[in-house]
């Protein structure tokens, strides 16, 4: 009975404490895509007091306690605490204990080099020519995991688009969908729309290997600059803020301020990382260099002018309507807006499309 009473008191205290933190650490850790290991803990069995022979009820209760105490106690539930790296583990024999989750190792130097919190980009004074020809990056190991920021389709790739470089990829989603940190790291910038231009609400996370990941167009974020985050931790929600034609996540990968194709790291279709490590070549930072090219092709492409990768950027482009198409879908697929499609084709937003109809998209 003493054990049961103690457990009830602990649960009441925990629930009372957690209810005061509606947007805090424990909310950020609820990620269905990351599996946490179950921890079995060996504990010594408690000594039992002598029981009077004529007390039948107490004998039954003691027998039940002994039954539950035999062997290894089994964890039956886990509770969050105000400390995101500490949990309360409850066992089937009525006992509980604290379990500390390893905090990601974040070098102190990570916050000293170009650590700017009020701007999206912090390496504006570092030129591409100043970077080494190759940069070896360790992405994951036995202590560091990864997570796809959002399990959605890629709607726009790393390429030259709308006569400007699109230095990331767009991942389709619905407003309010969860966004997760790709790797362990520390939030450098958490900026609202009025400070970011086209990015809208944006988060920039710096990782121990020097990599930075960008998460743009968020409806809102639940972390702040200086927060340590783990791979797979909930950091915000998808949206349509900033310069955006519809709800999506704009995701970038950068090293020393230089962007490269995120598909070199992740296979977004399968939701897997391509390799434990990545060697960055200087020519990868060209907007013309994409995953799937050989290094020779990438090097050759990097020497071309950016406009050469834009298919007919100065001429008209057309699209043939297919079954299931809508103006919104066509606009997203071709990097434009419904309003612009209507202007180019003399349509109204309520116009009915016909299969095989030819629409000008640029």
């Amino acid at each position: 009975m003493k054990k049961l009473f103690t457990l009830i008191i602990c649960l009441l205290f925990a629930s009372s404490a957690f209810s005061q933190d509606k947007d805090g650490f424990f909310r950020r850790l609820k990620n269905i895509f990351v599996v946490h290991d179950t921890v079995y803990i060996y504990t010594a069995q408690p000594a039992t007091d002598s029981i009077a022979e004529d007390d039948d009820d107490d004998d039954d209760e003691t027998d039940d306690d002994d039954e539950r105490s035999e062997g290894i106690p089994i964890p039956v539930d886990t509770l969050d605490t105000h400390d995101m790296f500490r949990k309360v583990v409850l066992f089937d024999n009525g006992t509980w204990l604290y379990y500390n989750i390893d905090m990601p190792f974040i070098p102190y130097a990570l916050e000293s080099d170009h650590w700017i919190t009020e701007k999206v980009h912090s390496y504006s004074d570092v030129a591409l020519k100043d970077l080494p020809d190759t940069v070896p990056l360790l992405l994951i190991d036995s202590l560091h995991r990864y997570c796809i920021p959002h399990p959605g389709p890629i709607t726009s790739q790393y390429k030259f688009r709308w006569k400007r470089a699109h230095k990331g990829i767009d991942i389709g989603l619905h407003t309010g969908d969860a966004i997760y940190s790709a790797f362990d790291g520390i939030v450098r910038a958490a900026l609202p729309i009025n400070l970011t231009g086209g990015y809208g609400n944006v988060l920039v996370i710096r990782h121990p290997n020097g990599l930075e990941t960008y998460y743009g167009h968020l409806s809102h974020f639940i972390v702040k600059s200086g927060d340590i985050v783990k791979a797979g931790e909930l950091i915000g929600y998808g949206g349509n803020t900033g310069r955006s034609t519809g709800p999506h996540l704009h995701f970038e990968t950068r090293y020393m301020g230089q962007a490269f194709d995120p598909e070199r790291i992740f296979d977004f279709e399968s939701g897997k990382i391509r390799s434990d490590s990545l060697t960055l070549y200087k020519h990868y930072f060209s907007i013309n260099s994409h995953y799937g090219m050989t290094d020779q092709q990438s090097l050759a492409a990097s020497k071309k002018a950016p406009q050469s990768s834009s298919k007919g950027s100065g001429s008209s482009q057309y699209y043939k309507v297919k079954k299931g198409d809508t103006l919104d879908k066509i606009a997203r697929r071709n990097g434009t807006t419904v309003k612009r499609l209507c202007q180019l084709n003399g349509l109204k937003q309520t116009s009915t499309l016909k299969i095989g109809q030819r629409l000008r998209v640029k």
Side-chain angles (χ1 to χ4, degrees):
M1 289 299 292
K2 288 182 179 179
K3 294 178 181 178
L4 181 59
F5 180 73
T6 303
L7 179 59
I8 292 173
I9 293 298
C10 291
L11 289 175
L12 288 175
F13 174 77
S15 61
S16 158
F18 302 158
S19 64
Q20 299 175 22
D21 190 1
K22 299 184 184 301
D23 295 315
F25 293 138
F26 66 91
R27 180 184 178 194
R28 290 156 43 189
L29 290 173
K30 295 177 181 176
N31 180 0
I32 60 174
F33 303 104
V34 174
V35 178
H36 298 282
D37 293 334
T38 300
V39 179
Y40 294 91
I41 301 175
Y42 293 79
T43 58
Q45 302 305 319
T48 56
D49 297 331
S50 58
I51 306 298
E53 294 182 1
D54 58 347
D55 193 343
D56 294 335
D57 291 338
D58 286 349
D59 281 342
D60 293 340
E61 186 176 334
T62 304
D63 290 342
D64 290 341
D65 286 342
D66 288 342
E67 240 177 49
R68 287 199 308 269
S69 299
E70 289 179 0
I72 301 171
I74 306 299
V76 294
D77 201 1
T78 305
L79 301 177
D80 296 314
T81 71
H82 280 295
D83 183 346
M84 61 179 290
F85 299 108
R86 195 176 220 200
K87 302 283 188 179
V88 174
V89 182
L90 306 179
F91 296 90
D92 65 338
N93 64 353
T95 62
W96 64 276
L97 52 75
Y98 286 114
Y99 172 59
N100 294 320
I101 301 172
D102 289 337
M103 181 184 295
F105 172 69
I106 306 297
Y108 289 112
L110 212 60
E111 295 183 71
S112 61
D113 180 33
H114 291 79
W115 188 259
I116 300 175
T117 60
E118 66 276 9
K119 292 182 180 179
V120 178
H121 306 299
S122 64
Y123 290 96
S124 55
D125 61 331
V126 178
L128 177 60
K129 63 180 178 61
D130 297 327
L131 267 63
D133 291 334
T134 60
V135 179
L137 288 181
L138 177 64
L139 299 175
I140 60 171
D141 57 25
S142 59
L143 299 177
H144 300 90
R145 300 173 298 176
Y146 73 93
C147 182
I148 296 292
H150 180 75
I154 294 179
T155 57
S156 186
Q157 295 177 308
Y158 177 88
K159 62 181 180 179
F160 201 81
R161 187 187 71 174
W162 300 351
K163 298 183 179 180
R164 67 175 66 188
H166 182 238
K167 296 184 176 182
I169 63 167
D170 292 343
I171 303 175
L173 49 69
H174 298 289
T175 298
D177 282 353
I179 305 300
Y180 304 104
S181 176
F183 301 103
D184 297 344
I186 184 169
V187 179
R188 175 174 65 78
L191 299 172
I193 303 171
N194 60 316
L195 297 178
T196 67
Y199 283 101
N201 293 323
V202 66
L203 289 171
V204 181
I205 299 178
R206 185 172 292 183
H207 306 286
N209 56 9
L211 190 69
E212 285 193 334
T213 50
Y214 287 42
Y215 309 78
H217 305 313
L218 304 178
S219 59
H220 63 286
F221 40 77
I222 61 173
V223 292
K224 63 184 182 301
S225 177
D227 280 352
I228 294 175
V229 294
K230 291 180 72 70
E233 182 175 338
L234 178 65
I235 55 176
Y237 298 92
N240 188 28
T241 58
R243 188 170 57 245
S244 171
T245 58
H248 68 275
L249 171 68
H250 177 77
F251 179 67
E252 293 185 11
T253 48
R254 290 179 179 252
Y255 181 80
M256 297 290 286
Q258 301 295 328
F260 62 95
D261 189 354
E263 291 192 76
R264 292 192 180 278
I265 292 181
F266 293 118
D267 179 349
F268 290 89
E269 186 174 346
S270 68
K272 303 294 184 182
I273 199 167
R274 297 193 186 277
S275 177
D276 293 355
S277 60
L278 171 69
T279 299
L280 282 177
Y281 294 92
K282 188 179 289 188
H283 51 82
Y284 284 5
F285 300 118
S286 166
I287 194 63
N288 293 332
S289 175
H290 310 121
Y291 172 76
M293 291 180 170
T294 65
D295 287 339
Q296 291 78 9
Q297 290 172 330
S298 172
L299 181 60
S302 69
K303 296 177 180 179
K304 298 178 182 178
Q307 289 81 357
S308 64
S309 65
S310 176
K311 299 178 181 178
S313 59
S315 59
S316 299
Q317 294 184 25
Y318 293 86
Y319 176 84
K320 185 179 288 187
V321 177
K322 301 174 184 177
K323 184 177 180 180
D325 276 341
T326 64
L327 286 173
D328 184 57
K329 286 183 180 180
I330 295 171
R332 291 188 192 185
R333 188 176 293 124
N334 292 277
T336 185
T337 64
V338 172
K339 183 178 179 180
R340 182 58 177 160
L341 284 180
C342 292
Q343 291 174 344
L344 291 173
N345 296 278
L347 299 173
K348 297 180 179 179
Q349 293 191 13
T350 56
S351 297
T352 301
L353 300 179
K354 297 180 181 178
I355 296 176
Q357 181 178 353
R358 195 163 175 260
L359 295 179
R360 181 180 172 185
V361 293
K362 289 185 180 179

